[in-house]
Amino acid sequence: RASMLIGTAATVAVQSSSITTSTFVPMCGLGFVTLEQMYPFTLGANIGTTITPILASLATNVVAALQIALAHLLFNVFGTIIWFPIPFMRSIPLKCSKVLGKKVASRKFLATMYLVGIFIVIPTVLLALSAAGTAAVISGIVVLPMLIGGGFPVFPLTGE
């Protein structure tokens, strides 16, 4: 899609996906751009933002720096390959964002709960599991989504 290339190019130009997405999010909110149009743009911005660490790593002449920068690039590229090309897979984040957006619009505290859960609770649990060993990580990958689904019934995958 053209918007994915535009998102990538715009982010490479300004070297910040925050700037490119923050510019277009209000347009989406005002109805000038649909969520479906914004989604590939955002994925492109996520790929484009990897150019900055690649450039920085090339300036260091340190192999490990280039390796982690390329891992960042590949993570974003493979994430896009997994989630975007297949319409069914593409619809999952779109549906989740629509439902979450509607819930948060009427209950602002849910935004804080979501951010704390995604950026503090889940990483802490996964870090603890990884310290416990491979079997614990595999168990956590299976059990954690069930706990989250059961612990947050306000986020069903329906628009209700």
Side-chain angles (χ1 to χ4, degrees):
R1 288 205 168 175
S3 61
M4 190 179 299
L5 294 174
I6 292 168
T8 302
T11 302
V12 167
V14 297
Q15 295 187 5
S16 171
S17 62
S18 297
I19 290 173
T20 54
T21 54
S22 295
T23 301
F24 279 86
V25 166
M27 291 183 189
C28 200
L30 293 171
F32 297 134
V33 179
T34 67
L35 180 62
E36 290 74 16
Q37 292 169 322
M38 185 68 184
Y39 182 50
F41 180 88
T42 303
L43 293 174
N46 285 341
I47 292 170
T49 199
T50 64
I51 198 71
T52 305
I54 290 171
L55 291 173
S57 70
L58 291 172
T60 67
N61 289 326
V62 176
V63 173
L66 182 57
Q67 289 172 335
I68 195 66
L70 291 173
H72 181 209
L73 169 67
L74 293 173
F75 179 82
N76 287 348
V77 167
F78 286 132
T80 300
I81 290 170
I82 290 168
W83 289 104
F84 190 74
I86 303 167
F88 166 75
M89 293 295 288
R90 185 180 320 145
S91 70
I92 295 172
L94 290 171
K95 285 180 183 175
C96 289
S97 64
K98 287 178 181 180
V99 169
L100 184 60
K102 287 178 183 176
K103 299 291 182 185
V104 169
S106 62
R107 298 180 193 105
K108 302 291 186 206
F109 72 95
L110 292 177
T112 303
M113 286 179 51
Y114 175 78
L115 292 172
V116 168
I118 292 295
F119 292 106
I120 297 172
V121 175
I122 291 174
T124 301
V125 169
L126 291 176
L127 183 62
L129 289 171
S130 68
T134 305
V137 171
I138 293 170
S139 300
I141 290 171
V142 172
V143 173
L144 192 60
M146 290 187 276
L147 292 174
I148 292 170
F152 295 97
V154 293
F155 300 129
L157 286 179
T158 64
E160 308 301 321

